[in-house]
Amino acid sequence: PVNALGGERNAPKLKPADELLLDWAYGTAGTSELEAIGIYHDRAGVLCTCVRAQTKRFITNSSGHYSSLESSYGKNGLAPVPELVSPLKIMPSGIKINILQVPKSLELFELYLHHWAATAGPETQVACVFQTRYFTPKLVEIAGKYATEVKQSRAYKKARLLLLSDFIPAASTAVPVSEVSYGDVTYQQYPGVFSANHIDYATQFMLDEWATNSLLAEIDAPGEILDVGCGNGIIGDYLLARYSEAKLTATEISHVAAGSARLNLATHGFEDRATVMIAATVREVEHPKRFDLIVTNPPFHDEYQTDISVSLELFNEASERLTATGYLVVVANRHLNYLTHLRRYFDEVLTVAE
């Protein structure tokens, strides 16, 4: 396809990991076109674009993956684009052959396994591909909780398959929920939310400072708040409790995070004052047009790679969507040097705590 991610610019080709998955899928079916296939966590949409199948089911946690798929289908003149299925939606599968690009998050990996165990039949087979340098025995350990047969393929150009079959029926099809605490408040979250076992330290730092920092205290009570990359909703939850007249719009690229935020904001009584939406950019938020306060603990990883491009675009978009007296409040790791980038878009940039 046009957007294949391997090879050279003038000679693109599939990455070895994707070759492994597709070769396995066709070899398992014994045909050059599959009747049906489940495609999980396809980050660039390459697998779904390349695979020949009468039915394709595209399951991923990230709306960004789906945007890549739409772009890939458009560039290659394909239609219709398969519908995105959230891993929070457990639906009858009926699909025997499934392929997965293993995510960095082991919690998310386990959620996908739960997805299969809840819907698997006796003929369900799964191939999970990973780079050998990122292998951890935990992958096999977690897989063994859901499938009685777990094998590894031989390595091919630094990639390897984890092959699963004979799935153990799930005790419950409901997606499990865990709890984390901040102060005396408990938050619920689905598997795969960033910083699984505790509230992210940068977020804790932001909220601790908001309670005590004199410069943050000087911010006028906002009417409209935008929380970009809201995670489990803790920042928006805190701000709605602090500013009793405010309304919140919270965005997330992750379905499990957005689902967790909706759960927490509703549990804490803010359902009528908060809107949580799946969105990769601020531009996707149509209403309200302007915000008095935009807050973010922006992501800077794309799986294993550091990538601040999303944050830089966010700063640009935020500068266009603030009211004349509005503020953007960012918490981030110091080594990312966001101050330099923020000064391109804002006349006044202050470090209020470090």
Side-chain angles (χ1 to χ4, degrees), residues 30 54 84 106 110 117 124 129 138 152-153 161 164 166 192 205 218 239 242 244 269 291-292 304 325 328:
Q54 297 171 30
L84 184 151
L106 292 177
E110 186 160 2
T124 300
V129 76
K138 288 289 288 183
Q152 289 190 56
S153 73
L161 296 180
L164 287 66
D166 195 11
F205 179 61
E218 291 177 5
L239 294 174
R242 182 181 180 93
S244 59
F291 295 91
D292 306 298
Y304 291 95
T325 57
L328 168 67

PDB file of all heavy atoms in Angstrom, residues 30 54 84 106 110 117 124 129 138 152-153 161 164 166 192 205 218 239 242 244 269 291-292 304 325 328:
ATOM      1  N   GLY A  30      -5.336 -21.586   4.595  1.00  0.00           N
ATOM      2  CA  GLY A  30      -5.052 -22.358   3.392  1.00  0.00           C
ATOM      3  C   GLY A  30      -5.628 -21.743   2.140  1.00  0.00           C
ATOM      4  O   GLY A  30      -6.043 -22.446   1.213  1.00  0.00           O
ATOM      5  N   GLN A  54     -13.237 -11.352   3.035  1.00  0.00           N
ATOM      6  CA  GLN A  54     -14.613 -10.949   2.743  1.00  0.00           C
ATOM      7  C   GLN A  54     -15.188 -10.095   3.869  1.00  0.00           C
ATOM      8  O   GLN A  54     -15.965  -9.175   3.630  1.00  0.00           O
ATOM      9  CB  GLN A  54     -15.469 -12.200   2.525  1.00  0.00           C
ATOM     10  CG  GLN A  54     -15.041 -13.023   1.330  1.00  0.00           C
ATOM     11  CD  GLN A  54     -15.762 -14.362   1.270  1.00  0.00           C
ATOM     12  OE1 GLN A  54     -16.903 -14.475   1.722  1.00  0.00           O
ATOM     13  NE2 GLN A  54     -15.108 -15.371   0.717  1.00  0.00           N
ATOM     14  N   LEU A  84     -14.997   0.788  13.295  1.00  0.00           N
ATOM     15  CA  LEU A  84     -14.159   0.600  14.476  1.00  0.00           C
ATOM     16  C   LEU A  84     -14.984  -0.007  15.599  1.00  0.00           C
ATOM     17  O   LEU A  84     -16.082   0.470  15.911  1.00  0.00           O
ATOM     18  CB  LEU A  84     -13.556   1.931  14.943  1.00  0.00           C
ATOM     19  CG  LEU A  84     -12.568   1.871  16.113  1.00  0.00           C
ATOM     20  CD1 LEU A  84     -11.562   3.011  16.018  1.00  0.00           C
ATOM     21  CD2 LEU A  84     -13.254   1.946  17.470  1.00  0.00           C
ATOM     22  N   LEU A 106       0.617  -3.886  28.893  1.00  0.00           N
ATOM     23  CA  LEU A 106       0.241  -5.265  29.165  1.00  0.00           C
ATOM     24  C   LEU A 106      -1.221  -5.347  29.612  1.00  0.00           C
ATOM     25  O   LEU A 106      -1.891  -6.349  29.377  1.00  0.00           O
ATOM     26  CB  LEU A 106       1.159  -5.867  30.232  1.00  0.00           C
ATOM     27  CG  LEU A 106       2.619  -6.080  29.811  1.00  0.00           C
ATOM     28  CD1 LEU A 106       3.430  -6.623  30.978  1.00  0.00           C
ATOM     29  CD2 LEU A 106       2.712  -7.014  28.618  1.00  0.00           C
ATOM     30  N   GLU A 110      -4.038  -7.633  27.867  1.00  0.00           N
ATOM     31  CA  GLU A 110      -4.933  -8.548  28.584  1.00  0.00           C
ATOM     32  C   GLU A 110      -6.399  -8.246  28.280  1.00  0.00           C
ATOM     33  O   GLU A 110      -7.228  -9.154  28.228  1.00  0.00           O
ATOM     34  CB  GLU A 110      -4.672  -8.484  30.085  1.00  0.00           C
ATOM     35  CG  GLU A 110      -5.465  -9.502  30.871  1.00  0.00           C
ATOM     36  CD  GLU A 110      -4.891  -9.803  32.248  1.00  0.00           C
ATOM     37  OE1 GLU A 110      -3.875  -9.189  32.633  1.00  0.00           O
ATOM     38  OE2 GLU A 110      -5.465 -10.672  32.935  1.00  0.00           O
ATOM     39  N   ALA A 117     -11.591 -14.335  24.910  1.00  0.00           N
ATOM     40  CA  ALA A 117     -12.108 -15.372  25.804  1.00  0.00           C
ATOM     41  C   ALA A 117     -13.619 -15.261  25.972  1.00  0.00           C
ATOM     42  O   ALA A 117     -14.309 -16.264  26.177  1.00  0.00           O
ATOM     43  CB  ALA A 117     -11.418 -15.282  27.161  1.00  0.00           C
ATOM     44  N   THR A 124     -11.369 -20.809  17.305  1.00  0.00           N
ATOM     45  CA  THR A 124     -10.745 -19.482  17.342  1.00  0.00           C
ATOM     46  C   THR A 124      -9.227 -19.599  17.478  1.00  0.00           C
ATOM     47  O   THR A 124      -8.722 -20.302  18.353  1.00  0.00           O
ATOM     48  CB  THR A 124     -11.294 -18.662  18.521  1.00  0.00           C
ATOM     49  OG1 THR A 124     -12.710 -18.511  18.375  1.00  0.00           O
ATOM     50  CG2 THR A 124     -10.639 -17.280  18.580  1.00  0.00           C
ATOM     51  N   VAL A 129       1.834 -10.414  17.263  1.00  0.00           N
ATOM     52  CA  VAL A 129       3.200 -10.157  16.832  1.00  0.00           C
ATOM     53  C   VAL A 129       3.863  -9.133  17.738  1.00  0.00           C
ATOM     54  O   VAL A 129       3.227  -8.197  18.225  1.00  0.00           O
ATOM     55  CB  VAL A 129       3.242  -9.682  15.358  1.00  0.00           C
ATOM     56  CG1 VAL A 129       2.794  -8.227  15.208  1.00  0.00           C
ATOM     57  CG2 VAL A 129       4.628  -9.869  14.766  1.00  0.00           C
ATOM     58  N   LYS A 138       6.071 -11.947  30.761  1.00  0.00           N
ATOM     59  CA  LYS A 138       4.709 -11.635  31.191  1.00  0.00           C
ATOM     60  C   LYS A 138       3.703 -11.841  30.065  1.00  0.00           C
ATOM     61  O   LYS A 138       2.540 -12.151  30.316  1.00  0.00           O
ATOM     62  CB  LYS A 138       4.630 -10.189  31.691  1.00  0.00           C
ATOM     63  CG  LYS A 138       5.307  -9.930  33.021  1.00  0.00           C
ATOM     64  CD  LYS A 138       4.532 -10.551  34.174  1.00  0.00           C
ATOM     65  CE  LYS A 138       3.249  -9.801  34.454  1.00  0.00           C
ATOM     66  NZ  LYS A 138       2.520 -10.360  35.621  1.00  0.00           N
ATOM     67  N   GLN A 152       5.194 -20.019  20.657  1.00  0.00           N
ATOM     68  CA  GLN A 152       5.931 -18.944  19.989  1.00  0.00           C
ATOM     69  C   GLN A 152       6.478 -19.452  18.667  1.00  0.00           C
ATOM     70  O   GLN A 152       6.917 -20.600  18.556  1.00  0.00           O
ATOM     71  CB  GLN A 152       7.093 -18.456  20.859  1.00  0.00           C
ATOM     72  CG  GLN A 152       6.674 -17.682  22.089  1.00  0.00           C
ATOM     73  CD  GLN A 152       7.865 -17.025  22.773  1.00  0.00           C
ATOM     74  OE1 GLN A 152       8.601 -16.252  22.152  1.00  0.00           O
ATOM     75  NE2 GLN A 152       8.035 -17.324  24.047  1.00  0.00           N
ATOM     76  N   SER A 153       6.447 -18.573  17.675  1.00  0.00           N
ATOM     77  CA  SER A 153       7.038 -18.921  16.382  1.00  0.00           C
ATOM     78  C   SER A 153       8.542 -18.669  16.419  1.00  0.00           C
ATOM     79  O   SER A 153       9.070 -18.093  17.381  1.00  0.00           O
ATOM     80  CB  SER A 153       6.404 -18.068  15.278  1.00  0.00           C
ATOM     81  OG  SER A 153       6.876 -16.719  15.366  1.00  0.00           O
ATOM     82  N   LEU A 161       5.952 -14.332  16.597  1.00  0.00           N
ATOM     83  CA  LEU A 161       4.530 -14.492  16.864  1.00  0.00           C
ATOM     84  C   LEU A 161       4.302 -15.258  18.160  1.00  0.00           C
ATOM     85  O   LEU A 161       5.032 -16.200  18.479  1.00  0.00           O
ATOM     86  CB  LEU A 161       3.844 -15.258  15.730  1.00  0.00           C
ATOM     87  CG  LEU A 161       3.801 -14.626  14.346  1.00  0.00           C
ATOM     88  CD1 LEU A 161       3.075 -15.554  13.376  1.00  0.00           C
ATOM     89  CD2 LEU A 161       3.128 -13.267  14.380  1.00  0.00           C
ATOM     90  N   LEU A 164      -2.054 -18.389  19.917  1.00  0.00           N
ATOM     91  CA  LEU A 164      -2.987 -18.779  20.962  1.00  0.00           C
ATOM     92  C   LEU A 164      -4.168 -19.539  20.357  1.00  0.00           C
ATOM     93  O   LEU A 164      -4.691 -19.152  19.309  1.00  0.00           O
ATOM     94  CB  LEU A 164      -3.533 -17.561  21.707  1.00  0.00           C
ATOM     95  CG  LEU A 164      -2.629 -16.807  22.679  1.00  0.00           C
ATOM     96  CD1 LEU A 164      -1.468 -16.137  21.975  1.00  0.00           C
ATOM     97  CD2 LEU A 164      -3.438 -15.747  23.424  1.00  0.00           C
ATOM     98  N   ASP A 166      -7.489 -22.691  21.698  1.00  0.00           N
ATOM     99  CA  ASP A 166      -8.173 -23.385  22.791  1.00  0.00           C
ATOM    100  C   ASP A 166      -8.396 -22.438  23.974  1.00  0.00           C
ATOM    101  O   ASP A 166      -7.869 -22.639  25.075  1.00  0.00           O
ATOM    102  CB  ASP A 166      -7.370 -24.612  23.227  1.00  0.00           C
ATOM    103  CG  ASP A 166      -8.196 -25.565  24.088  1.00  0.00           C
ATOM    104  OD1 ASP A 166      -9.431 -25.378  24.163  1.00  0.00           O
ATOM    105  OD2 ASP A 166      -7.609 -26.466  24.702  1.00  0.00           O
ATOM    106  N   GLY A 192      -5.879  -0.718  30.675  1.00  0.00           N
ATOM    107  CA  GLY A 192      -5.243  -0.052  29.542  1.00  0.00           C
ATOM    108  C   GLY A 192      -5.157   1.448  29.655  1.00  0.00           C
ATOM    109  O   GLY A 192      -4.546   2.097  28.801  1.00  0.00           O
ATOM    110  N   PHE A 205       1.073  16.064  40.581  1.00  0.00           N
ATOM    111  CA  PHE A 205       1.798  17.315  40.803  1.00  0.00           C
ATOM    112  C   PHE A 205       0.948  18.514  40.407  1.00  0.00           C
ATOM    113  O   PHE A 205       0.869  19.519  41.127  1.00  0.00           O
ATOM    114  CB  PHE A 205       3.100  17.273  39.991  1.00  0.00           C
ATOM    115  CG  PHE A 205       3.940  18.516  40.095  1.00  0.00           C
ATOM    116  CD1 PHE A 205       4.447  18.934  41.312  1.00  0.00           C
ATOM    117  CD2 PHE A 205       4.220  19.272  38.967  1.00  0.00           C
ATOM    118  CE1 PHE A 205       5.224  20.080  41.411  1.00  0.00           C
ATOM    119  CE2 PHE A 205       4.999  20.412  39.044  1.00  0.00           C
ATOM    120  CZ  PHE A 205       5.498  20.818  40.271  1.00  0.00           C
ATOM    121  N   GLU A 218      -4.960  32.621  41.231  1.00  0.00           N
ATOM    122  CA  GLU A 218      -5.378  33.893  40.651  1.00  0.00           C
ATOM    123  C   GLU A 218      -6.217  33.736  39.382  1.00  0.00           C
ATOM    124  O   GLU A 218      -6.813  34.709  38.906  1.00  0.00           O
ATOM    125  CB  GLU A 218      -4.146  34.742  40.337  1.00  0.00           C
ATOM    126  CG  GLU A 218      -3.406  35.235  41.580  1.00  0.00           C
ATOM    127  CD  GLU A 218      -2.146  36.007  41.222  1.00  0.00           C
ATOM    128  OE1 GLU A 218      -1.921  36.217  39.998  1.00  0.00           O
ATOM    129  OE2 GLU A 218      -1.398  36.374  42.131  1.00  0.00           O
ATOM    130  N   LEU A 239     -11.413  19.912  38.848  1.00  0.00           N
ATOM    131  CA  LEU A 239     -11.736  21.288  38.482  1.00  0.00           C
ATOM    132  C   LEU A 239     -13.240  21.573  38.589  1.00  0.00           C
ATOM    133  O   LEU A 239     -13.640  22.672  38.980  1.00  0.00           O
ATOM    134  CB  LEU A 239     -11.227  21.592  37.079  1.00  0.00           C
ATOM    135  CG  LEU A 239      -9.697  21.585  36.928  1.00  0.00           C
ATOM    136  CD1 LEU A 239      -9.308  21.759  35.463  1.00  0.00           C
ATOM    137  CD2 LEU A 239      -9.045  22.659  37.791  1.00  0.00           C
ATOM    138  N   ARG A 242     -13.872  22.227  42.125  1.00  0.00           N
ATOM    139  CA  ARG A 242     -13.296  23.506  42.564  1.00  0.00           C
ATOM    140  C   ARG A 242     -14.106  24.691  42.041  1.00  0.00           C
ATOM    141  O   ARG A 242     -14.319  25.682  42.751  1.00  0.00           O
ATOM    142  CB  ARG A 242     -11.845  23.614  42.078  1.00  0.00           C
ATOM    143  CG  ARG A 242     -11.127  24.888  42.523  1.00  0.00           C
ATOM    144  CD  ARG A 242      -9.706  24.922  41.991  1.00  0.00           C
ATOM    145  NE  ARG A 242      -9.010  26.136  42.411  1.00  0.00           N
ATOM    146  CZ  ARG A 242      -8.256  26.251  43.496  1.00  0.00           C
ATOM    147  NH1 ARG A 242      -8.089  25.198  44.289  1.00  0.00           N
ATOM    148  NH2 ARG A 242      -7.674  27.386  43.810  1.00  0.00           N
ATOM    149  N   SER A 244     -17.570  25.596  40.832  1.00  0.00           N
ATOM    150  CA  SER A 244     -18.910  25.016  40.894  1.00  0.00           C
ATOM    151  C   SER A 244     -19.814  25.427  39.733  1.00  0.00           C
ATOM    152  O   SER A 244     -20.824  24.766  39.474  1.00  0.00           O
ATOM    153  CB  SER A 244     -19.580  25.393  42.218  1.00  0.00           C
ATOM    154  OG  SER A 244     -19.672  26.806  42.343  1.00  0.00           O
ATOM    155  N   GLY A 269     -21.188  12.789  40.337  1.00  0.00           N
ATOM    156  CA  GLY A 269     -22.293  13.736  40.214  1.00  0.00           C
ATOM    157  C   GLY A 269     -22.099  14.849  39.216  1.00  0.00           C
ATOM    158  O   GLY A 269     -22.796  15.868  39.274  1.00  0.00           O
ATOM    159  N   PHE A 291     -12.739  28.578  25.074  1.00  0.00           N
ATOM    160  CA  PHE A 291     -12.633  28.073  26.441  1.00  0.00           C
ATOM    161  C   PHE A 291     -11.896  29.082  27.319  1.00  0.00           C
ATOM    162  O   PHE A 291     -10.931  29.718  26.885  1.00  0.00           O
ATOM    163  CB  PHE A 291     -11.898  26.737  26.462  1.00  0.00           C
ATOM    164  CG  PHE A 291     -12.634  25.633  25.761  1.00  0.00           C
ATOM    165  CD1 PHE A 291     -12.418  25.387  24.413  1.00  0.00           C
ATOM    166  CD2 PHE A 291     -13.563  24.855  26.430  1.00  0.00           C
ATOM    167  CE1 PHE A 291     -13.099  24.377  23.746  1.00  0.00           C
ATOM    168  CE2 PHE A 291     -14.257  23.853  25.784  1.00  0.00           C
ATOM    169  CZ  PHE A 291     -14.024  23.615  24.438  1.00  0.00           C
ATOM    170  N   ASP A 292     -12.352  29.189  28.552  1.00  0.00           N
ATOM    171  CA  ASP A 292     -11.679  30.061  29.518  1.00  0.00           C
ATOM    172  C   ASP A 292     -10.441  29.378  30.105  1.00  0.00           C
ATOM    173  O   ASP A 292      -9.519  30.048  30.552  1.00  0.00           O
ATOM    174  CB  ASP A 292     -12.645  30.406  30.669  1.00  0.00           C
ATOM    175  CG  ASP A 292     -13.937  30.998  30.148  1.00  0.00           C
ATOM    176  OD1 ASP A 292     -13.875  32.070  29.514  1.00  0.00           O
ATOM    177  OD2 ASP A 292     -15.004  30.380  30.349  1.00  0.00           O
ATOM    178  N   TYR A 304       6.416   2.652  21.954  1.00  0.00           N
ATOM    179  CA  TYR A 304       7.749   2.709  22.563  1.00  0.00           C
ATOM    180  C   TYR A 304       8.552   3.943  22.149  1.00  0.00           C
ATOM    181  O   TYR A 304       9.623   4.197  22.688  1.00  0.00           O
ATOM    182  CB  TYR A 304       8.551   1.453  22.188  1.00  0.00           C
ATOM    183  CG  TYR A 304       8.018   0.194  22.827  1.00  0.00           C
ATOM    184  CD1 TYR A 304       7.131  -0.639  22.149  1.00  0.00           C
ATOM    185  CD2 TYR A 304       8.386  -0.164  24.120  1.00  0.00           C
ATOM    186  CE1 TYR A 304       6.631  -1.793  22.729  1.00  0.00           C
ATOM    187  CE2 TYR A 304       7.893  -1.317  24.715  1.00  0.00           C
ATOM    188  CZ  TYR A 304       7.016  -2.128  24.020  1.00  0.00           C
ATOM    189  OH  TYR A 304       6.518  -3.271  24.606  1.00  0.00           O
ATOM    190  N   THR A 325      -9.099  36.242  27.745  1.00  0.00           N
ATOM    191  CA  THR A 325      -8.508  36.218  29.092  1.00  0.00           C
ATOM    192  C   THR A 325      -8.261  34.790  29.571  1.00  0.00           C
ATOM    193  O   THR A 325      -8.064  34.558  30.759  1.00  0.00           O
ATOM    194  CB  THR A 325      -9.435  36.933  30.093  1.00  0.00           C
ATOM    195  OG1 THR A 325     -10.729  36.303  30.062  1.00  0.00           O
ATOM    196  CG2 THR A 325      -9.573  38.406  29.730  1.00  0.00           C
ATOM    197  N   LEU A 328      -4.014  28.442  29.197  1.00  0.00           N
ATOM    198  CA  LEU A 328      -3.637  27.057  28.969  1.00  0.00           C
ATOM    199  C   LEU A 328      -2.720  26.651  30.111  1.00  0.00           C
ATOM    200  O   LEU A 328      -1.711  27.322  30.366  1.00  0.00           O
ATOM    201  CB  LEU A 328      -2.905  26.900  27.632  1.00  0.00           C
ATOM    202  CG  LEU A 328      -2.197  25.552  27.398  1.00  0.00           C
ATOM    203  CD1 LEU A 328      -3.204  24.410  27.283  1.00  0.00           C
ATOM    204  CD2 LEU A 328      -1.313  25.613  26.149  1.00  0.00           C
TER     205      LEU A 328
END
